[in-house]
Amino acid sequence: MAKERGLISPSDFAQLQKYMEYSTKKVSDVLKLFEDGEMAEYLQGDAIGYEGFQQFLKIYLEVDDVPSRLSLALFQSFQTGYSLEKTVKEDVVCLSDVSCYFSLLEGGRPEDKLEFTFKLYDMDRNGILDSSEVDKIIIQMMRVAEYLDWDVSELRPILQEMMKEIDYDGSGSVSLAEWLRAGATTVPLLVLLGLEMTLKDNGQHMWRPKRFPRPVYCNMCESSIGLGKQGLCCNLCKYTVHDQCAMKALPCEVSTYAKSRKDIGVQSHVWVRGGCVSGRCDRCQKKIRIYHGLVGLHCVWCHLEIHDDCLQALGHECDCGLLRDHILPPSSIYPSVLASGQEHKSSKTSQKNTDDLNLNTFEALRIDPVAHTHPLLVFVNPKSGGKQGERVFWKFQYLLNPRQVFNLLKDGPEPGLRFFREVPDYRILVCGGDGTVGWILETIDKANLPFVPPVAVLPLGTGNDLARCLRWGGGKRLEIVFLRDR
């Protein structure tokens, strides 16, 4: 069945992803070797035979001996229904198709992937593709989407609609500028291509694809997403939409820091419709009929779930719920300019100062935690434990303030340690394997911190020898044990 659809098996795809995870090569590097380098002898026009394909995998994956089963399955997958090139012989595959497919899977900015895939099929380098050539790119996108367990039946019409908007004059051709502009405004496509959302506090959602095991209703159109269907869910506020509704979604209401003096010190509830997982109101203890429509409200910070009618019975102040001892509410984080003690006479100037801050350099923000709490600084290695690390990262972004959770693959542990340097009584949680734990402990030793915070480990690696030696167990655990003596 998989070969009839032009797909390799899930196990083969998992093995391929594992190889790609440890490879440092880019598709563009390998392509140069085939176009005008030592691998040019394997090129037959824009096609390569099985021997050339094996050489492509060997160089790209940096593996001397790619399993024959995997290489043959991949080669055959490019010869079946997904290939539009009718002139390709049975013993060769289109090099552009192969390069396009792998470039969509590898890391990098979505914008760069869109440009690279466009230029792959722009043979005459005139910056124009006809509709059939663009279809080839979309076909490879559909392949990747299906491997990643996306609902292709919903993604296909979105991409088709995107193509209609690109070719607004019906000329049948698309320029590079039109292709990039359309791709950059198609949210589901950007998420598929691996868009790495950054915290901007400008109303931008941090989308991730999610398949729902229970009936869920779209926050935008309020119709059912469907049992087992896929939609997009915001990591910050749990605002949930159909793939096609993402472009029309209302702005994210979560702010991760106080933007004015009046917001400092007292945290208010931030209510979002839907997302009432428990199905029971925390105010009146009666059922919330979550299967009948988009009903109920949940607070992003304390995670209370209530009926719409119960909202008036609750005050505005939020205590951050069960995790209040570990959360840094937005009211505890504010721009340094607001702590200067100088009154800004012009409100416009004050607003501009806070809006223009480079908040990726955490020196622009100051932390004043709630008294007698122990804020948690979380470091996550997303690649640890297969998909576990990524899921843990998403979970902590929602449970805590996203500014407390750091992706180690982006900037390492130093930005987080600098951000928390002056925070009293904070604690550190390391989510990863033994190598990740050693990295964090070594960085703490070299950081010359005012005091050494207690460190906890959430084992996500393959061996987890440290956790086993300390008798915490070798896998992910709900109980967190603090290392008070390092």
Side-chain angles (χ1 to χ4, degrees):
M1 183 64 180
K3 291 184 179 179
E4 292 176 2
R5 297 157 57 213
L7 296 173
I8 60 176
S9 69
S11 59
D12 286 337
F13 183 68
Q15 186 178 22
L16 174 63
Q17 283 187 305
K18 200 69 176 177
Y19 280 129
M20 292 182 66
E21 185 177 312
Y22 293 101
S23 175
T24 60
K25 293 289 186 181
K26 294 289 185 182
V27 170
S28 55
D29 301 329
V30 184
L31 204 55
K32 288 177 183 176
L33 296 177
F34 277 85
E35 290 177 343
D36 48 21
E38 58 192 61
M39 295 293 137
E41 61 181 282
Y42 294 102
L43 200 58
Q44 305 174 36
D46 185 38
I48 52 175
Y50 182 57
E51 187 177 355
F53 183 76
Q54 287 180 304
Q55 291 298 319
F56 184 100
L57 292 181
K58 180 179 178 180
I59 298 170
Y60 180 59
L61 301 178
E62 297 182 301
V63 177
D64 290 334
D65 187 19
V66 180
S68 57
R69 172 187 165 182
L70 176 61
S71 59
L72 184 60
L74 275 168
F75 184 78
Q76 291 175 339
S77 74
F78 286 102
Q79 296 180 305
T80 51
Y82 277 92
S83 177
L84 288 181
E85 185 58 69
K86 304 300 183 185
T87 59
V88 172
K89 299 177 182 178
E90 290 187 1
D91 57 346
V92 297
V93 294
C94 178
L95 180 60
S96 293
D97 288 347
V98 174
S99 302
C100 180
Y101 169 76
F102 281 109
S103 70
L104 293 173
L105 279 178
E106 69 185 15
R109 298 191 317 143
E111 297 88 341
D112 295 336
K113 293 182 183 182
L114 288 168
E115 182 174 359
F116 180 75
T117 53
F118 186 97
K119 291 180 178 179
L120 274 176
Y121 294 95
D122 183 17
M123 298 301 181
D124 54 8
R125 300 294 185 263
N126 67 348
I128 300 291
L129 293 185
D130 61 39
S131 57
S132 65
E133 290 170 322
V134 175
D135 281 343
K136 293 181 180 181
I137 302 177
I138 291 179
I139 281 171
Q140 297 307 322
M141 289 178 177
M142 300 295 288
R143 290 186 71 196
V144 171
E146 197 156 358
Y147 286 133
L148 297 176
D149 202 27
W150 278 58
D151 190 338
V152 177
S153 64
E154 291 190 7
L155 184 62
R156 192 187 307 275
I158 293 173
L159 295 180
Q160 289 173 342
E161 185 63 29
M162 184 184 86
M163 288 308 303
K164 288 180 183 178
E165 293 179 5
I166 293 177
D167 190 19
Y168 65 93
D169 58 358
S171 63
S173 61
V174 176
S175 70
L176 176 59
E178 290 172 331
W179 171 250
L180 293 177
R181 185 165 55 249
T185 56
T186 307
V187 175
L189 176 58
L190 290 175
V191 176
L192 171 65
L193 295 180
L195 178 63
E196 290 187 3
M197 298 287 190
T198 55
L199 290 173
K200 296 181 179 179
D201 276 272
N202 61 355
Q204 176 179 289
H205 289 282
M206 296 186 70
W207 298 116
R208 67 179 177 93
K210 185 175 181 179
R211 194 172 295 275
F212 301 98
R214 58 181 179 80
V216 171
Y217 291 84
C218 175
N219 277 84
M220 186 63 212
C221 69
E222 299 194 12
S223 62
S224 175
I225 291 180
L227 190 64
K229 292 289 186 178
Q230 179 191 280
L232 295 176
C233 182
C234 175
N235 277 353
L236 305 183
C237 65
K238 297 301 179 186
Y239 190 95
T240 302
V241 294
H242 294 99
D243 290 347
Q244 65 268 23
C245 290
M247 284 80 81
K248 300 175 287 185
L250 297 176
C252 181
E253 296 186 25
V254 174
S255 179
T256 59
Y257 69 99
K259 296 183 178 179
S260 65
R261 285 195 176 94
K262 65 180 178 62
D263 296 327
I264 298 175
V266 178
Q267 181 60 42
S268 299
H269 287 292
V270 176
W271 299 106
V272 177
R273 288 186 59 77
C276 299
V277 180
S278 69
R280 188 170 295 277
C281 177
D282 289 308
R283 171 68 177 81
C284 68
Q285 302 303 315
K286 294 181 180 179
K287 287 185 178 180
I288 302 175
R289 300 182 181 278
I290 57 177
Y291 300 120
H292 294 214
L294 184 65
V295 295
L297 299 164
H298 77 274
C299 175
V300 172
W301 297 111
C302 65
H303 308 302
L304 282 179
E305 299 175 0
I306 62 171
H307 292 107
D308 296 54
D309 295 339
C310 292
L311 180 59
Q312 293 182 347
L314 293 175
H316 294 289
E317 188 172 339
C318 177
D319 67 358
C320 293
L322 295 175
L323 298 177
R324 65 177 67 90
D325 188 50
H326 303 298
I327 292 178
L328 276 176
S331 58
S332 294
I333 306 175
Y334 51 90
S336 300
V337 295
L338 296 183
S340 64
Q342 300 176 359
E343 294 294 334
H344 295 278
K345 295 182 179 179
S346 169
S347 60
K348 291 184 179 180
T349 303
S350 177
Q351 185 63 40
K352 186 178 187 303
N353 286 340
T354 56
D355 287 347
D356 290 350
L357 287 171
N358 182 4
L359 294 173
N360 291 324
T361 59
F362 287 90
E363 289 81 358
L365 294 173
R366 181 172 295 187
I367 300 176
D368 185 12
V370 178
H372 310 299
T373 61
H374 303 84
L376 195 61
L377 169 59
V378 182
F379 293 114
V380 183
N381 183 347
K383 287 193 175 182
S384 293
K387 290 285 185 179
Q388 279 192 99
E390 192 173 42
R391 293 193 185 104
V392 167
F393 180 74
W394 291 338
K395 189 67 175 178
F396 276 117
Q397 275 195 320
Y398 178 66
L399 291 176
L400 306 174
N401 189 321
R403 293 193 180 275
Q404 296 177 245
V405 188
F406 288 80
N407 182 339
L408 288 171
L409 296 185
K410 292 188 69 174
D411 301 303
E414 289 84 0
L417 292 174
R418 288 199 301 269
F419 187 41
F420 272 68
R421 183 179 180 85
E422 304 300 330
V423 178
D425 299 323
Y426 75 95
R427 297 173 175 179
I428 293 177
L429 173 62
V430 184
C431 307
D434 294 332
T436 302
V437 175
W439 179 19
I440 299 299
L441 295 179
E442 181 181 3
T443 306
I444 292 174
D445 278 335
K446 295 179 178 178
N448 193 26
L449 299 174
F451 83 100
V452 178
V455 179
V457 177
L458 188 60
L460 294 179
T462 305
N464 299 317
D465 293 333
L466 174 63
R468 293 179 191 276
C469 289
L470 295 175
R471 298 183 181 180
W472 297 347
K476 185 171 60 177
R477 298 179 57 187
L478 294 177
E479 298 86 11
I480 296 176
V481 183
F482 282 92
L483 276 168
R484 296 194 181 275
D485 297 316
R486 299 189 306 108

